Amino acid sequence: MALVATGSEWVRAFLDLQGASGATYRYRLAPDGDVGLPTAGNYVCVREQGEDFGLLASGTTFDLSSATADWRRAVAQHGPAQLFVRLNVSASVREAEEQDIAAYYATRRDRGSAPESSSGSSSGPSPSGGGV
């Protein structure tokens, strides 16, 4: 696992998320919530939980730099969290991946192994109230 320094902490540089289909999606860390990329993609806000992580929020957006707002909300609500992004220009691919990941983590949450979270929409990064 590749680690990067963020402030006084070391966190993983990449995060692989499982989809209900069995596909794996690799996300890259946006240190301190700084995406700096005005391009479309998917994002997740997570917090470390021992060797695992809790998915706090996820979404799709036409401008990943706007995902920082969801990360800030996740930090305010849940404490320390990291923002990870995945570049994805095609809206249909972004939506399909988001739905696949949401289905997998909803199943984990239903079994009690992941915290409650929210899912964003393709029109912007704000949570829609759906579960991931």
Side-chain angles (χ1 to χ4, degrees):
M1 163 177 45
L3 299 174
V4 295
T6 60
S8 62
E9 296 182 3
W10 287 90
V11 297
R12 61 181 90 200
F14 296 96
L15 180 67
D16 292 330
L17 296 177
Q18 184 74 35
S21 68
T24 300
Y25 305 99
R26 176 155 285 188
Y27 284 71
R28 178 182 55 82
L29 178 68
D32 299 319
D34 182 20
V35 177
L37 300 170
T39 188
N42 299 50
Y43 66 92
V44 295
C45 300
V46 300
R47 71 172 171 209
E48 296 287 328
Q49 293 181 327
E51 294 295 315
D52 203 1
F53 64 91
L55 187 61
L56 304 175
S58 69
T60 66
T61 182
F62 294 110
D63 180 357
L64 279 171
S65 64
S66 65
T68 302
D70 266 3
W71 172 74
R72 286 187 179 130
R73 278 191 290 276
V75 169
Q77 186 175 9
H78 302 284
Q82 288 82 41
L83 175 64
F84 288 84
V85 297
R86 178 176 170 82
L87 303 182
N88 221 327
V89 176
S90 168
S92 61
V93 172
R94 285 194 311 269
E95 290 296 324
E97 289 182 1
E98 169 71 10
Q99 291 172 6
D100 192 28
I101 292 167
Y104 178 81
Y105 287 93
T107 302
R108 283 186 64 189
R109 187 180 58 249
D110 291 344
R111 291 191 319 240
S113 58
E116 189 66 30
S117 60
S118 60
S119 175
S121 68
S122 62
S123 60
S126 38
S128 65
V132 171

